[in-house]
Amino acid sequence: MLTEEEIMIKKYADMYFVDFDVAKALVKNNIEEINKNDSFELGIIETIKDYHWNNPNIDKTPIISNLTPEEKERKILEFANIYGVYDKDLLLNILAVHRFETGN
């Protein structure tokens, strides 16, 4: 059974196509830097994301999402919360741009 921390690591490892064991090692090896972030979750995201973009062996081809427009908006709001974006007007603008750009 995975710990709460491992569940979080797995979530973002899967999102960035990073092997779970590699992601766990990344977190372990960068824990001091991760703890400097505004939140532990944000530190994990940044660490795994940086590894993804700097690793030439990970495919960077954009994927087509099968999420519904409502699910995509919930994800946008979820990540806005993680990144500390709470301003209602800004969030509404982000959603408006998303709807405009996707034709919804």
Side-chain angles (χ1 to χ4, degrees), residues 55-95:
N55 187 327
N57 298 317
I58 298 176
D59 185 9
K60 312 293 188 295
T61 305
I63 58 170
I64 307 254
S65 171
N66 60 354
L67 297 175
T68 67
E70 294 81 15
E71 290 170 325
K72 289 177 184 177
E73 288 187 6
R74 280 195 296 275
K75 287 287 183 192
I76 289 169
L77 294 174
E78 174 187 342
F79 281 94
N81 183 54
I82 292 168
Y83 278 86
V85 178
Y86 305 113
D87 181 86
K88 184 178 177 181
D89 290 333
L90 179 57
L91 292 170
L92 290 172
N93 280 319
I94 291 169
L95 292 177

Side-chain angles (χ1 to χ4, degrees), residues 19 30 32 35 40-41 44 53 56-57 69 75 77 80 99:
D19 178 78
N30 292 284
E32 288 182 25
N35 285 328
F40 186 70
E41 185 171 12
I44 288 176
W53 285 110
N57 298 317
K75 287 287 183 192
L77 294 174
R99 290 176 182 175

Side-chain angles (χ1 to χ4, degrees), residues 3-13 18-37 40-49 51:
T3 66
E4 204 171 304
E5 180 179 301
E6 289 173 327
I7 290 169
M8 188 184 301
I9 293 168
K10 181 160 179 27
K11 175 181 177 179
Y12 298 112
V18 174
D19 178 78
F20 178 54
D21 291 327
V22 170
K24 285 194 306 185
L26 283 169
V27 170
K28 181 180 178 185
N29 294 336
N30 292 284
I31 196 67
E32 288 182 25
E33 195 65 32
I34 288 169
N35 285 328
K36 291 179 184 177
N37 281 276
F40 186 70
E41 185 171 12
L42 184 55
I44 288 176
I45 292 169
E46 293 296 322
T47 299
I48 295 173
K49 177 187 73 167
Y51 177 82

